[in-house]
Amino acid sequence: MVVDPESVSARRRNAAVAGHRGDVATARRLVDDPDAGVRATALGALARAGALEAPDLAGAVADPDPAVRRRAAELVAQLTGDGVAAEVSIVGLLDDPEPTVVETAAWASGERTRPEPGAVARLAALATDADDALVREAAVAALGSIGDEAALPAILAATADKATVRRRAVLALAPFEGPEVDAALERARSDRDWQVRQAAEDLLG
């Protein structure tokens, strides 16, 4: 079926279909489309077709539209930072002006097999200072996944945040040991939020 090439929805559909069919030529052509939604879909299509290259990912990280930057971070997470993603930095996205991009980049940073240099320090700052609670939550979760001792003060501070962040913070304490950790978990056992209490109970055994 031939779809109108001038239609944005048609081009986006063509990009999606290209990924499923392994049509690398179409996906690569559409990754530079004027429409951000088409570009993001084409980027995913290249990944699905096994044809994603580091320059594609790096270009998406620097894309002017947040939807494409988010998609780039998602693909880095999907690849656990390995393969072509190993050559692509997303630390800069942790300072993105769009909070949803920062949230996704924080999550992706925690999914990397090897944390990027500078990621822990930036995530720690976000965990305590970000205005958006979803960003703080994602940053705390990423710090727990990374398990770097330098992140412990930020995670401990997050145990006093709002309930959704506190739950993440308690779970993020799993890789850590010490009297401060024990004390934070004991406090969490009597938290007013039952999910925080349950997370603490699970960790304390």
Side-chain angles (χ1 to χ4, degrees):
M1 175 181 175
V2 178
V3 184
D4 176 10
E6 298 305 315
S7 162
V8 170
S9 60
R11 296 199 307 274
R12 189 167 186 173
R13 178 182 180 280
N14 286 341
V17 170
H20 288 281
R21 292 181 176 172
D23 182 355
V24 175
T26 296
R28 191 159 295 289
R29 173 173 59 83
L30 293 172
V31 84
D32 292 320
D33 194 88
D35 182 79
V38 175
R39 293 198 301 277
T41 302
L43 191 70
L46 286 175
R48 180 181 288 275
L52 186 67
E53 298 177 357
D56 301 319
L57 205 48
V61 167
D63 194 274
D65 194 280
V68 183
R69 299 196 298 273
R70 279 196 304 272
R71 190 69 181 108
E74 289 168 358
L75 288 173
V76 169
Q78 181 179 315
L79 294 166
T80 64
D82 291 329
V84 297
E87 305 173 43
V88 178
S89 173
I90 59 170
V91 168
L93 294 182
L94 297 175
D95 290 306
D96 198 273
E98 169 55 51
T100 62
V101 175
V102 179
E103 178 192 353
T104 306
W107 163 66
S109 295
E111 294 296 304
R112 296 190 84 127
T113 303
R114 291 169 296 281
E116 274 193 76
V120 170
R122 188 66 196 110
L123 288 166
L126 288 172
T128 54
D129 298 335
D131 292 333
D132 191 305
L134 290 174
V135 170
R136 298 198 303 275
E137 184 179 346
V140 167
L143 291 172
S145 179
I146 294 169
D148 190 308
E149 286 291 332
L152 183 55
I155 297 172
L156 289 170
T159 61
D161 204 317
K162 64 185 297 183
T164 53
V165 182
R166 294 200 305 276
R167 289 197 291 270
R168 287 289 187 182
V170 169
L171 293 171
L173 289 172
F176 302 96
E177 296 180 345
E180 287 182 307
V181 174
D182 293 340
L185 291 175
E186 284 298 333
R187 286 194 301 274
R189 291 177 82 171
S190 57
D191 193 275
R192 60 184 178 275
D193 183 90
W194 72 267
Q195 289 178 300
V196 175
R197 297 195 301 272
Q198 185 62 59
E201 290 289 350
D202 291 344
L203 289 182
L204 289 168

